[in-house]
């Protein structure tokens, strides 16, 4: 009887089909012929696919030269794709998906491995049969292969085929699956292509893979595919609060318990976020281990400490965990480095409301409560409560009280009182439901007390664009990805010299617009996810607006404080602001405003941009970072003159700057300090009457000698005090310019020009300006010392340039102090 074998052959459509062949006599010769034809056919297809890699290979100056490429492999259904891999040669099977009659694999083949695969096929075709099995060499690898084809974006796409955009310029959030050890590599690629990768809080992490949402066009993702090997597979980024709020709402407890079991909870000796709100329900499984019963306070004991309104518990969840959508969905361990505290600032519904005239004293009392309980603990204060209907740049009793608390000068504070980081909300726009009632962001001025100089005031932007929910299939998002959130107010309408508010914008959610453009609503799918007060029925709830953004900012501040326990609150504030970058819509707004005055309204919408924890916590390889914390005596009693002027020698890599020549670099400077407020009528008109002192920075200009630079910024450097300062024109390449620092206690600006123009501009001056301390006659006031934090970074636009290696810069650089400064 003849033995039967099943081997593939090709039909007129080009697909391999199965056919039966006899194993004895003439059948054996036929088997050899078919094996040779099959192997030869695969070799031709492999050669064609590899040739297409060469044709599609993208040489982009922003990316390293490609060292391989993807091909598409069609296997018989059920075949093991791992058989295709050759780990020593770095041949990797990436995306795998099943079709009705086959299995499709995206195989990455390095250039160096091409010959190895040709040898595998040649050995299969012509090699000697194995004696014991009578099988050809490499049978397990080759025979399941039905075809080699050129790879397309569809090869890596494992989501619904209908969801893959066909328009090359279609922008969306792509879920890029990568190997766990290649996250940094992807971030470098995204930066080089000027794309946006979501922060760590929006990334799913599994034992061997990380899912990174990247906002990009199809064309950009194809460029990434043809120029790199980092992509394992592609899907839509679809993680959304709607899943937990609606789809699995009856399973919320199980999801919460699973996450709680994966958290490494903090001890008692870590920083805390202290939330001023409606109280917190610590019975929640995701909150209780991080907030002790005696860390719950209330302004009035009769109010109780538990949350009566949902708002406080939702603030607590975000301040502790961030958006819960991603942590609930992954499987990794979560490590918390900070805790929570709560002060119930707002009375229950059945209690008498707080007197608006006492908001300042009530807030200062709220500051004192946790400090009395645990004076040794470092904390960040977080308040998303505003004075509805009251706005404007002028200091109020409430904002001044917050400035006092931050500066450590509120009643009861002594000279050893701590400086405090206060994180405030800028306030929300009216939640109108009809589009014709929407007045625009600038019609909603920032609310009291967000004008506080020393506070970090938070506005909102949004990256959320997925609309889900029955009946909303044809609705669209209100704000574009990366633009200001429809919930956020601005300080564009403030009149006179006022601090830039908000300083930062974080995720505040989006809204949805009806197809007719007449209706506008807030949806769960365009919100973030947090902890709910009702732990029995709704432990997970959607949350949005600038409250959510403020809680996220406080969380970032606490994490930085835990990572850098020796940094002052002023420094943490500076780090957060310095880490901020503008999104594409924000940059487009600045690009359309060539004049400095036209940029001021823009910065009053977006602040200094969107902060990032990783950028704040560590200096990247292409950043040169200087971080200074130091004391200064701004004035001296004799003659009531200015006293000290600080000079910083910036060790700029001259050789690298000359090599970069006309390539653009960014020199960013952030100066942060706290003023002791002096509110009153004069302070409402002149910021110099409100601030106890002020500081400014000045950079040596192009072609300016060191002697003339010092004479220009410091009268004491001139031989004749009546001599006018030497003139030396600035190049006006600062993003905001000197007029942007007319008020406030935080100043940030970026100089952007060709690198060669920075050579020789290696001296930075910190100098005092006017304040009410200077006008006092008592030495206890006029001779006071204070402190500031300074951060300077140099960044190359082309991220392949190494600015770090040429310089080893100390965290605490030497500062040259010269006095007096008789300006």
């Amino acid at each position: 009887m003849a033995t039967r074998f099943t081997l593939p052959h090709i039909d007129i459509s080009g697909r391999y089909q199965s056919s039966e062949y006899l194993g004895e006599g003439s059948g054996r010769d036929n088997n050899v012929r078919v094996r040779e034809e099959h192997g030869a056919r695969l070799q031709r297809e492999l050669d064609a696919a590899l040739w297409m890699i060469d044709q599609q290979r993208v040489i982009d100056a922003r990316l390293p030269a490609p060292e391989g490429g993807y091909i598409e492999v069609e296997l018989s259904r059920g075949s093991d794709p791992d058989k295709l891999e050759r780990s020593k040669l770095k041949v990797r099977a990436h995306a795998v998906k099943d079709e009705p009659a086959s299995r499709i694999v995206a195989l990455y083949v390095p250039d160096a491995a091409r010959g190895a695969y040709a040898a595998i096929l040649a050995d299969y075709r012509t090699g000697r049969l194995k004696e014991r099995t009578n099988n050809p060499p490499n049978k397990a690898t080759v025979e399941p292969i039905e075809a080699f084809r050129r790879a397309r974006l569809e090869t890596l796409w494992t989501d619904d085929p209908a969801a893959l955009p066909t328009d090359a310029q279609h922008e969306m959030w792509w879920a890029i699956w990568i190997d766990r050890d290649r996250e940094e590599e992807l971030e470098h690629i995204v930066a080089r292509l000027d794309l946006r990768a979501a922060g760590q809080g929006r990334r799913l992490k599994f034992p061997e893979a990380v899912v990174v949402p990247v906002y990009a066009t199809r064309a950009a993702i194809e460029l990434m595919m043809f120029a790199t090997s980092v992509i394992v597979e592609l899907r839509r980024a679809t993680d959304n609060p709607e899943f937990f709020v609606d789809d699995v709402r009856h399973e919320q407890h199980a999801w919460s318990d699973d996450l709680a079991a994966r958290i490494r909870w903090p001890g008692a000796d870590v920083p805390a976020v202290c939330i001023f709100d409606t109280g917190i329900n610590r019975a929640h499984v995701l909150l209780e281990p991080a907030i002790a019963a005696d860390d719950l306070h209330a302004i009035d004991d009769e109010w109780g400490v538990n949350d009566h309104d949902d708002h406080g518990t939702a603030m607590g969840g975000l301040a502790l965990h961030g958006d819960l959508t991603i942590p609930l969905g992954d499987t990794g361990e979560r490590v918390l480095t900070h805790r929570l505290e709560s002060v119930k600032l707002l009375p229950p519904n059945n209690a008498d409301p707080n007197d608006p005239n006492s908001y300042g004293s009530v807030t200062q009392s709220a500051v004192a409560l946790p400090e009395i309980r645990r004076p040794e603990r470092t904390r960040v204060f977080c308040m998303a409560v505003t004075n509805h209907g009251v706005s404007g740049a002028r200091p109020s009793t409430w904002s001044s009280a917050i400035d006092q608390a931050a500066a450590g000068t509120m009643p009861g504070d002594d000279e050893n009182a701590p400086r405090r980081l206060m994180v405030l909300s800028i306030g929300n726009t009216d939640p109108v439901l009809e589009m014709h009632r929407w007045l625009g962001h600038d019609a909603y001025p920032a609310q009291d007390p967000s004008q506080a100089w020393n506070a970090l005031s938070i506005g909102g932007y949004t990256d959320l664009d997925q609309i889900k929910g029955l009946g909303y299939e044809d609705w669209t998002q209100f704000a574009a990805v990366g633009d200001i959130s429809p919930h956020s107010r601005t300080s564009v309408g403030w009149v006179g010299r006022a601090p830039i508010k908000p300083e930062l914008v974080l995720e505040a959610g989006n809204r949805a617009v009806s197809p007719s453009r007449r209706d506008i609503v807030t949806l769960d799918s365009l919100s973030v996810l947090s902890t709910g007060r009702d732990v029995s029925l709704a432990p997970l709830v959607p949350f949005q607006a600038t409250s959510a953004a403020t809680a996220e900012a406080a969380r970032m501040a606490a994490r930085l404080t835990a990572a850098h326990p020796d940094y002052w609150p002023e420094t943490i504030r500076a780090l957060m602001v310095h880490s901020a970058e503008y999104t594409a819509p924000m940059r487009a707004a600045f690009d359309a405003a060539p004049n400095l005055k036209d940029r001021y309204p823009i910065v009053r919408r977006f602040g200094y941009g969107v902060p990032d924890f990783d950028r704040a916590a560590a200096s990247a390889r292409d950043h040169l970072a200087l971080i200074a914390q130091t004391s200064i005596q701004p004035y001296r009693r004799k003659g009531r003159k200015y006293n000290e002027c600080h000079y910083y020698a910036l060790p700029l890599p001259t050789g690298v700057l000359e090599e970069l020549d006309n390539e653009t670099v960014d020199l960013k400077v952030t100066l942060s300090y706290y003023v002791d407020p002096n509110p009153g009528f004069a302070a409402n008109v002149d910021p110099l009457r409100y601030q106890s002192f002020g500081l400014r920075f000045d950079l040596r200009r192009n072609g300016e000698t060191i002697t003339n630079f010092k004479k220009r910024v410091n009268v004491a450097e001139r031989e004749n005090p009546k001599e006018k300062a030497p003139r030396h024109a600035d190049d006006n390449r600062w993003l905001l310019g000197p007029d942007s620092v007319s008020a406030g206690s935080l100043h940030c600006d970026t100089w952007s020009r060709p690198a060669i123009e920075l050579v020789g501009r290696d001296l930075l001056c910190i100098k005092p300006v006017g304040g009410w301390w200077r006008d006092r006659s008592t030495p206890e006031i006029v001779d006071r010392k204070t402190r500031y934090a300074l951060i300077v970074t140099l960044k190359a636009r082309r991220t392949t340039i190494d600015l770090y290696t040429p310089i080893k810069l100390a965290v605490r650089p030497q500062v040259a102090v010269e006095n007096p400064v008789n300006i």
Side-chain angles (χ1 to χ4, degrees):
M1 175 176 287
T3 302
R4 296 183 181 272
F5 294 89
T6 301
L7 288 174
H9 73 87
I10 194 166
D11 68 4
I12 58 173
S13 66
R15 291 179 56 87
Y16 288 101
Q17 306 288 338
S18 62
S19 183
E20 293 183 339
Y21 296 92
L22 295 176
E24 294 180 355
S26 62
R28 187 184 304 277
D29 296 335
N30 196 37
N31 290 343
V32 172
R33 179 179 58 80
V34 171
R35 173 161 59 96
E36 291 179 351
E37 289 181 356
H38 178 48
R41 187 182 302 115
L42 291 180
Q43 183 63 63
R44 289 194 299 271
E45 292 178 352
L46 178 62
D47 290 343
L50 295 174
W51 181 82
M52 284 303 301
I53 289 178
D54 294 334
Q55 301 309 303
Q56 294 173 324
R57 176 162 292 170
V58 177
I59 304 299
D60 191 300
R62 298 170 294 178
L63 299 173
E67 298 179 351
Y70 295 92
I71 62 174
E72 182 177 292
V73 183
E74 183 176 353
L75 301 178
S76 56
R77 186 168 178 81
S79 299
D80 184 2
D82 292 343
K83 298 287 187 183
L84 298 171
E85 293 194 341
R86 295 293 183 270
S87 57
K88 291 183 179 180
L89 297 173
K90 298 182 179 180
V91 177
R92 297 285 310 276
H94 285 199
V96 179
K97 55 187 176 183
D98 286 329
E99 293 191 347
S102 62
R103 173 168 284 176
I104 304 299
V105 180
L107 188 70
Y108 182 78
V109 181
D111 292 342
R114 292 185 177 190
Y117 244 87
I120 290 171
L121 292 174
D123 205 21
Y124 169 79
R125 292 199 325 266
T126 62
R128 178 178 298 179
L129 297 179
K130 296 181 179 180
E131 293 183 1
R132 194 169 62 179
T133 62
N134 206 35
N135 289 332
N138 304 314
K139 174 182 178 181
T141 299
V142 178
E143 290 197 353
I145 300 174
E146 298 191 4
F148 287 114
R149 288 189 286 268
R150 71 178 182 89
R152 304 160 296 151
L153 196 64
E154 288 79 357
T155 307
L156 290 170
W157 183 259
T158 60
D159 209 333
D160 179 2
L164 179 63
T166 56
D167 182 0
Q169 299 307 313
H170 178 83
E171 284 188 300
M172 71 176 194
W173 285 104
W174 302 74
I176 299 183
W177 290 63
I178 59 174
D179 292 327
R180 190 71 186 256
D181 60 351
R182 303 189 73 179
E183 193 171 1
E184 184 176 350
E185 181 182 353
L186 175 65
E187 289 175 347
H188 281 301
I189 292 168
V190 166
R192 291 168 185 173
L193 296 179
D194 198 23
L195 306 176
R196 281 191 64 215
Q200 291 290 334
R202 291 185 61 196
R203 300 182 186 184
L204 284 167
K205 297 195 174 183
F206 301 104
E208 295 183 344
V210 180
V211 185
V212 181
V214 173
Y215 192 72
T217 62
R218 172 178 171 135
I221 298 298
E222 286 183 313
L223 171 61
M224 192 183 300
M225 170 189 171
F226 293 130
T228 74
S229 63
V230 70
I231 302 174
V232 172
E233 64 178 272
L234 291 169
R235 302 181 190 177
R236 293 169 294 177
T238 57
D239 296 288
N240 195 287
E242 178 79 10
F243 174 78
F244 298 101
V245 174
D246 189 16
D247 296 353
V248 295
R249 62 183 179 277
H250 299 303
E251 303 169 24
Q252 287 188 359
H253 291 95
W255 286 93
S256 300
D257 291 343
D258 174 76
L259 174 57
R262 291 187 281 109
I263 293 174
R264 191 189 306 171
W265 295 94
D269 57 345
V270 296
V273 173
C274 184
I275 296 173
F276 298 167
D277 212 278
T278 60
I280 290 179
N281 186 355
R282 72 178 292 267
H284 201 292
V285 68
L286 293 176
L287 298 178
E288 186 271 337
I291 181 168
D294 60 356
D295 284 332
L296 299 173
H297 309 273
I299 293 297
D300 189 329
D301 291 339
E302 294 183 359
W303 294 352
V305 295
N306 285 333
D307 188 3
H308 63 269
D309 185 64
D310 276 332
H311 196 270
T313 303
M315 289 286 294
L318 283 180
L320 186 63
H321 301 287
D323 184 1
L324 284 169
T325 306
I326 298 301
L328 287 167
D330 69 16
T331 60
E333 181 185 53
R334 295 275 166 164
V335 179
L336 296 181
T337 58
H338 67 285
R339 299 179 60 82
L340 290 179
E341 296 173 337
S342 169
V343 178
K344 193 166 187 174
L345 189 75
L346 298 177
N349 297 329
N350 59 353
D352 294 333
N354 294 327
D355 180 1
N357 294 320
S358 67
Y359 287 167
S361 60
V362 167
T363 302
Q364 291 186 347
S365 298
V367 169
L369 286 172
E371 291 185 344
I372 293 171
R373 175 76 68 181
R374 302 190 191 278
E376 76 288 348
R377 177 177 287 167
T378 303
R379 53 183 54 82
V380 175
F381 295 95
C382 173
M383 184 175 73
V385 180
T386 60
N387 193 358
H388 187 68
V390 178
S391 59
R394 293 182 178 182
S396 67
T397 55
W398 195 3
S399 70
S400 300
I402 289 172
D403 280 336
Q404 275 190 328
T409 60
M410 67 183 191
D413 283 342
D414 58 23
E415 60 182 9
N416 297 317
R419 308 290 175 93
R420 305 173 178 99
L421 182 55
M422 314 290 291
V423 182
L424 309 180
S425 164
I426 200 170
N428 297 329
T429 59
D430 294 340
V432 297
L433 298 177
E434 297 171 317
M435 201 64 171
H436 74 273
R437 297 184 181 276
W438 171 252
L439 304 177
H441 295 91
D442 297 346
Y444 299 96
Q447 292 180 321
D448 182 39
S450 66
Q451 71 270 38
W453 285 34
N454 296 336
L456 192 59
S457 300
I458 306 300
Y461 90 112
T462 187
D463 275 334
L464 305 181
D465 64 348
Q466 293 183 32
I467 296 176
K468 296 188 176 183
L470 188 62
Y472 295 101
E473 294 82 359
D474 297 327
W475 289 52
T476 56
Q477 79 264 24
F478 181 94
V481 168
D483 211 341
I484 185 172
S485 166
H487 299 290
S488 187
R489 289 174 175 257
T490 77
S491 66
V492 173
W494 283 1
V495 178
R497 292 183 289 175
I500 291 174
K501 298 290 180 173
E503 286 95 346
L504 298 172
V505 290
L506 286 90
E507 181 60 68
N510 211 335
R511 303 190 76 193
V513 181
S514 65
S516 65
R517 307 293 297 175
R518 290 193 297 187
D519 303 312
I520 176 173
V521 297
T522 299
L523 297 176
D524 296 347
S525 60
L526 295 174
S527 305
V528 296
L529 190 69
S530 190
T531 48
R533 174 180 65 95
D534 191 341
V535 296
S536 298
L537 298 179
L540 302 173
V541 295
F543 200 50
Q544 63 284 126
T546 56
S547 294
T550 304
E552 285 273 22
R555 173 177 179 258
M556 179 177 173
R559 294 174 67 203
L560 286 171
T561 301
H564 301 280
D566 56 331
Y567 282 177
W568 301 336
E570 300 98 313
T571 313
I572 298 297
R573 179 175 71 150
L575 277 172
M576 293 178 65
V577 169
H578 201 89
S579 76
E581 293 184 356
Y582 292 115
T583 64
M586 299 175 191
R587 292 199 305 269
F590 279 106
D591 291 342
N595 298 320
L596 292 179
K597 288 186 177 180
D598 295 332
R599 296 174 187 167
Y600 297 154
I602 301 172
V603 76
R604 291 189 176 279
R605 295 187 188 103
F606 304 127
Y608 298 105
V610 181
D612 179 82
F613 175 81
D614 291 328
R615 284 197 300 267
S619 177
R621 184 175 175 82
D622 61 338
H623 285 65
L624 170 66
L626 177 153
I627 300 176
Q629 300 180 133
T630 192
S631 298
I632 189 171
Q633 182 182 329
Y635 316 116
R636 59 189 173 93
R637 183 187 178 196
K638 185 178 180 180
R640 296 184 190 175
K641 294 181 179 180
Y642 297 99
N643 190 50
E644 292 181 359
C645 180
H646 291 182
Y647 294 99
Y648 289 86
L650 305 179
L652 301 177
T654 302
V656 176
L657 294 175
E658 290 175 341
E659 180 185 347
L660 283 171
D661 196 19
N662 287 319
E663 292 198 39
T664 300
V665 295
D666 300 311
L667 181 75
K668 191 171 187 178
V669 182
T670 302
L671 177 64
S672 174
Y673 54 94
Y674 286 164
V675 302
D676 186 8
N678 185 27
F681 177 76
N684 291 337
V685 179
D686 185 0
L688 299 183
R689 302 294 183 89
Y690 181 77
Q691 64 186 22
S692 52
F693 73 99
L695 298 176
R696 302 291 185 266
F697 61 81
D698 204 332
L699 181 69
R700 180 183 169 193
R701 295 173 181 175
N702 191 21
E704 187 176 32
T705 65
I706 294 178
T707 300
N708 281 349
F709 171 63
K710 291 186 174 182
K711 285 183 177 181
R712 179 170 59 82
V713 299
N714 186 355
V715 174
E717 298 283 352
R718 305 169 201 162
E719 296 178 1
N720 182 355
K722 296 182 180 180
E723 177 186 348
K724 291 185 178 181
R727 292 175 177 265
H728 199 103
D730 199 356
D731 54 19
N732 295 320
R733 294 300 179 179
W734 293 94
L735 179 65
L736 300 175
D739 289 345
S740 68
V741 296
S742 60
S745 61
L746 185 142
H747 314 302
C748 179
D749 207 349
T750 302
W751 179 94
S752 301
R753 282 293 286 168
I756 193 66
E757 296 185 19
L758 196 56
V759 174
R761 304 191 65 176
D762 53 359
L763 197 61
L764 184 76
C765 169
I766 303 297
K767 60 183 181 180
V769 295
W772 65 265
W773 281 358
R774 185 189 179 201
D775 299 329
R776 300 301 182 263
S777 59
T778 57
E780 293 80 7
I781 295 179
V782 71
D783 289 341
R784 282 179 180 172
K785 286 189 175 182
T786 186
R787 67 190 196 183
Y788 67 85
L790 173 69
I791 302 178
V792 183
T793 58
L794 178 63
K795 179 181 179 182
R797 297 280 179 92
R798 181 156 60 93
T799 56
T800 54
I801 295 297
D802 179 10
L803 294 176
Y804 184 77
T805 300
I807 303 172
K808 301 297 183 183
L809 189 65
V811 172
R812 299 180 186 273
Q814 293 294 321
V815 53
V817 179
E818 298 187 13
N819 55 14
V821 184
N822 299 321
I823 299 175

